[in-house]
Amino acid sequence: YLPLQKVLKYWSDRKKWIEEPLFKGYIFAKVSYKEFFNILNTPGAVCYVSFGGKAQAIPEIQINNIKTMVHQSEEEITLSFKNIKKGQKAEVMFGALKGVKGEILEIHGQNRILIRIQSMNCSLHAKISTEEVRIIEEEEYALQNS
């Protein structure tokens, strides 16, 4: 299974909707024990995703959840491996809010973060991807906001 999503790509002379893999570099394969080793003979296949030297099986319910999300989502799905938590200090790295630093108060999925900007004594709601945020240490935050 190769989950695809539609993404609007921009070139200098045009823009176009294209389909691209949701998980770049990954394809899900349901194989029997007998087929397990033959899959790696497929051109382009490198290895199975593994932890501790053991290939990991993805439960079918999770594959079905991915299928449902891909088929029902009208917006681009954002994939993130960042572990962002409430209370962490962060700096926005891209877009109109670039350079804004604050404390993460709430996380709504992967696309909506509530950041409190301390110096203005207010809260700013921003619909931004977690990929647009850089977590900063308390010491760095204190130095930059003093």
Side-chain angles (χ1 to χ4, degrees):
Y1 171 60
L2 178 62
L4 298 172
Q5 68 173 338
K6 288 188 176 185
V7 178
L8 186 59
K9 292 289 186 175
Y10 295 89
W11 287 270
S12 60
D13 62 336
R14 67 189 184 286
K15 59 184 177 178
K16 183 178 181 180
W17 286 96
I18 64 165
E19 285 188 323
E20 65 179 29
L22 178 59
F23 301 94
K24 292 170 179 52
Y26 293 88
I27 189 164
F28 298 97
K30 186 173 185 177
V31 297
S32 66
Y33 180 77
K34 187 176 181 180
E35 300 167 310
F36 183 83
F37 297 101
N38 290 335
I39 292 292
L40 296 178
N41 293 328
T42 304
V46 177
C47 63
Y48 286 101
V49 174
S50 60
F51 297 100
K54 185 176 179 184
Q56 297 298 301
I58 309 297
E60 192 149 350
I61 187 76
Q62 290 182 12
I63 298 296
N64 289 335
N65 289 341
I66 293 168
K67 287 178 181 179
T68 300
M69 185 186 308
V70 168
H71 292 297
Q72 291 182 355
S73 178
E74 293 181 18
E75 294 185 23
E76 184 176 333
I77 300 168
T78 304
L79 180 66
S80 176
F81 295 99
K82 287 186 177 182
N83 190 14
I84 295 179
K85 298 177 186 146
K86 286 171 36 174
Q88 288 182 306
K89 308 299 188 231
E91 176 183 8
V92 179
M93 302 303 294
F94 307 100
L97 300 175
K98 181 177 179 178
V100 171
K101 296 173 190 71
E103 178 185 358
I104 297 174
L105 296 180
E106 295 178 19
I107 302 168
H108 302 279
Q110 292 182 346
N111 289 330
R112 190 162 177 80
I113 300 173
L114 174 66
I115 299 177
R116 176 176 41 211
I117 302 172
Q118 195 69 17
S119 62
M120 295 171 56
N121 198 23
C122 70
S123 294
L124 172 67
H125 290 265
K127 185 176 180 179
I128 56 176
S129 167
T130 55
E131 295 302 315
E132 297 177 64
V133 174
R134 175 179 74 94
I135 300 302
I136 55 180
E137 299 298 321
E138 290 280 342
E139 298 80 26
E140 181 183 355
Y141 180 80
L143 284 173
Q144 292 175 348
N145 288 306
S146 56

